[in-house]
Amino acid sequence: MTAAGEVLLAADAVVRRYGSTVALDGVDFAVLASEVHAVVGENGAGKSTLARILAGATAPDAGEVRRAASVALVPQTLSLVGALSLVEHVALGRGLGRFSAGEARARLADAAARLGVAPPADVPTDRLSLPEQQLGELGLALALGARVLIVDEPTSSLGPAEVERLVGALRGIAAGGGAVVLVTHRVGEALGAADRVTVLRGGRRVHHGRVDELDADTLAVHMVGEVPSAATVTRPEPGRERLVVDGVDAGPLAGIRLAARAGEIVGVAGVAGSGQHFLAQVLAGLRAPERGTVAVDGVPIGGDPWAAVAAGVAYVPERRADGLVPALPGTDNAILLATLRDRSLRRRWTGLRDRRAERTRARALFERFDVRPRDPALPAGALSGGNQQKLLVGRELAAGPSVVVAHGPTQGLDLRAATAIRDDLRAAAADGAAVIVLSTDLDEVLTIADRVLVLSAGRITDTFTTDDRPDAARLGRAMAGHPLAESDP
Amino acid sequence: MVTEVELILAGAVRLATPVALAALGEAVVERSGTINLGIEGTMLAGALAGAYGASQAGWGAGIALAVAVGGFLGLVTALATLWGRANQLVVGLSVTLIATGAATYLYELWRPTGTAAPEIPLAPTVHVPILREIPLVGPALFEQSVFSYAMVALAVGLAWTLRRTGAGLALRAAGDDPARAALRGVRVRATRTAALALGGALAALGGAVITVGYLGSFDVNVTAGRGYVALAAVIIGRWSPWGALAGAGVFALFDSVAIQSGDTEIVPVEVLTALPYLVTLAALIVVARGGRAPRALGRALPDDA
């Protein structure tokens, strides 16, 4: 074992260009033995490019990378092959000949001891829950001999208890003499898990130093440059009940009862596997409840998406690909449902599509919701993630919905885009919609909702207003009211 | 009665062998993520190559030639689909069509219509003393062509390789999630290419077993769709080597029944001939609902693999 403080992995003035854009512009970086080093920045700041260059997956155009130990990259989308178990993954990394399952298992057990948690090693990895896969990937990298782990946005879909476990595992790697490069856009996570931090903005290193000399606001300012001011929307007092869910059973959901009033934003927090996905689908009319009713302004919509659309339910699905057609131009995506309902988008006599009216409508939507570039002719898939989300949210809100169901609406977005989406949702509430925001990210829910319901294992286990937020221990108990082994459907 | 059952069972093992060999190869190919519709044509090419080689230099030479031709056709398929990124199904059907046409043409060159059929030496049959006297299953298990025993040995070997070696893991990874397999260091294209070469060689071996193992003659309808039956056997067997054997067995059992009862007049002979195919189809419909196919099966190779 080498002494703490030894440089295990470093980059000197690395530059990387993609076409005419400069992703990294002369960035220096070094990670020492026995430390967790956070690389933070907004989307597009160059974090993932740096991670790939450090791991050797991408070559820099200029500059140099020095590796004093073996390095493994744990990508955001993970790299486990679903059909193989963790033991088999270890064997896969060790050549084509006959393998010893016993030896692979021993290596995993050794890695698990360092992580402080042992995910099941002998079942196909697609049967593991997402947190287990994440931990499994860390254990696998250690078992294959890596001393430096580069972990890209590992917590994007974990609940608070699981994040804590993961951070514990990362600290365990550092304590064992290894090093962790934690790539994240979450200020709190960087501050909570790391010893040192490197802040990237626009492909440059704008700050680096010890975490204990920083606070969350300072770090956020480093990331963003200036803090974008949240638009202040004066919202009326909540009005009549627009959405009423009564005694709904569906999949894991049992006896869900909730109501949302006009002008109110209701958050639903829960870890992956808590049943959020089912709840969102039930609210959007995509899944018929096995029992109970869902009504919008008194009109039942149980399991009938058309009834939901007719009742004015706007739905922002969790996966963008479920809401946008990436191959179609922005125009078509902007008018997807409207074209069926809105006669002004069709020619008067023939009822055929009126392309000019569609383009006018799309341009107005791009303008109003600040979708960039302002070119509705581009395929939606060519837009950045943040702009795709703005387009999707914009389309859903454009018609003045009665109820908005938004599932993880700001997941994976940078601060600017997330702020814009939150402002849009607040504006919709101010216009009289009842807004439901479901998320596995507690922060996302707390920053936008007036009132929060905690969903755990299909039941609402706690409810509170954001002004009267309970302590972390109570939240943790409510959210993590079920074991690690359960997985999302 | 006993002898009839013995005949049917022994016949079933004999008829299963070519299909099972092709199905074992195809199981490997599909585990690696590719569907090879060319195995029907490859079997026919193997049947002809085997017959030709055997007539020139003995049955061993015939088998060697067939295996070489099949491996070559597998490599051609790999070249087109994996390196040239052509559609798997189109390439597979093309190989079948070209191989069928070529076999017909080459056979005509070799033995023009009207000339005597070639003399094809048969591969030896193994006779296990005493054990082959066991009632019912004796002849089926202990008095078979060398290829039937080779088939079982091959199934054992493949099942072990898939589960217990890094090569088997790489194969399964390539067929399940090529992009992530590539991230984990698997050379996906090379793996799939090797699988297609092996699959082609085994399909051709299956074809040669028909002519050199049992028939001692060749005609252009000799495979009679058995390549497609092998494809079905892989699905019925849920992509496992032993399952492929079982799938081939289902077909062969009814094929054998049809042949043994060929001279009864209760059921029209056309119905009997169709019987094994109908049963295979029925088994496919029943079994295909469950089971887990390799997840990337039939999909084009991703750009980053």
Side-chain angles (χ1 to χ4, degrees), chain A residues 233-250:
Chain A
V233 181
T234 43
R235 302 231 315 266
E237 281 296 297
R240 69 206 154 88
E241 284 184 348
R242 299 208 78 164
L243 172 71
V244 178
V245 178
D246 194 13
V248 160
D249 292 358

Side-chain angles (χ1 to χ4, degrees), chain A residues 109-478:
Chain A
D110 178 51
R114 279 191 273 167
L115 293 176
V117 51
D122 283 301
V123 295
T125 50
D126 58 4
R127 295 217 205 118
L128 302 181
S129 69
L130 201 60
E132 285 173 328
Q133 289 185 22
Q134 202 113 41
L135 293 166
E137 187 113 23
L138 295 180
L140 191 55
L142 291 180
L144 290 172
R147 239 185 108 196
V148 182
L149 264 64
I150 303 171
V151 194
D152 194 359
E153 300 281 3
T155 62
S156 44
S157 48
L158 302 186
E162 288 140 0
V163 170
E164 204 173 303
R165 202 189 316 251
L166 184 85
V167 168
L170 297 181
R171 298 294 336 167
I173 296 170
V180 176
V181 178
L182 171 63
V183 177
T184 180
H185 67 277
R186 294 187 186 185
V187 171
E189 199 173 291
L191 293 177
D195 304 296
R196 290 198 303 150
V197 62
T198 291
V199 185
L200 297 181
R201 189 169 77 228
R204 291 167 186 273
R205 182 171 76 171
V206 294
H207 177 85
H208 68 287
R210 294 197 57 80
V211 160
D212 42 28
E213 295 157 1
L214 280 171
D215 60 50
D217 290 341
T218 324
L219 187 53
V221 170
H222 282 311
M223 283 169 66
V224 185
E226 87 284 8
V227 182
S229 57
T232 45
V233 181
T234 43
R235 302 231 315 266
E237 281 296 297
R240 69 206 154 88
E241 284 184 348
R242 299 208 78 164
L243 172 71
V244 178
V245 178
D246 194 13
V248 160
D249 292 358
L253 301 177
I256 297 291
R257 179 187 293 268
L258 67 90
R261 297 173 177 277
E264 188 183 29
I265 302 182
V266 178
V268 177
V271 297
S274 61
Q276 279 191 345
H277 185 67
F278 286 85
L279 183 55
Q281 288 194 322
V282 166
L283 296 181
L286 293 172
R287 180 182 288 272
E290 286 136 30
R291 214 186 327 236
T293 56
V294 178
V296 172
D297 294 333
V299 181
I301 57 158
D304 181 352
W306 286 113
V309 168
V313 176
Y315 178 43
V316 179
E318 184 178 25
R319 299 190 319 144
R320 227 164 276 144
D322 291 341
L324 292 177
V325 188
L328 289 184
T331 314
D332 291 8
N333 276 291
I335 51 115
L336 262 181
L337 276 170
T339 194
L340 296 172
R341 285 176 298 172
D342 193 339
R343 285 182 167 276
S344 70
L345 286 174
R346 285 185 256 152
R347 289 171 193 282
R348 195 175 309 157
W349 299 111
T350 58
L352 296 173
R353 293 172 62 175
D354 182 343
R355 298 284 184 167
R356 189 174 304 166
E358 288 181 3
R359 274 197 296 273
T360 312
R361 176 75 62 94
R363 264 198 296 272
L365 192 133
F366 271 53
E367 198 65 43
R368 180 176 157 198
F369 292 95
D370 190 27
V371 182
R372 295 178 206 203
R374 296 265 197 284
D375 183 3
L378 282 178
L383 302 175
S384 73
N387 283 298
Q388 287 187 27
Q389 190 72 1
K390 284 191 214 168
L391 171 57
L392 171 57
V393 169
R395 179 189 75 211
E396 291 300 313
L397 300 184
S402 54
V403 169
V404 180
V405 179
H407 195 175
T410 60
Q411 284 294 295
L413 302 188
D414 62 43
L415 213 50
R416 245 173 252 278
T419 308
I421 301 279
R422 277 197 287 272
D423 288 346
D424 293 339
L425 292 172
R426 288 201 187 95
D431 288 343
V435 179
I436 314 283
V437 176
L438 308 98
S439 181
T440 51
D441 180 355
L442 191 57
D443 288 336
E444 182 178 28
V445 171
L446 291 174
T447 46
I448 188 168
D450 308 313
R451 190 155 65 84
V452 176
L453 309 174
V454 179
L455 190 67
S456 178
R459 293 171 187 280
I460 292 173
T461 50
D462 203 351
T463 168
F464 54 88
T465 62
T466 341
D467 301 334
D468 182 25
R469 190 202 291 199
D471 59 54
R474 179 176 146 196
L475 267 181
R477 271 199 306 279

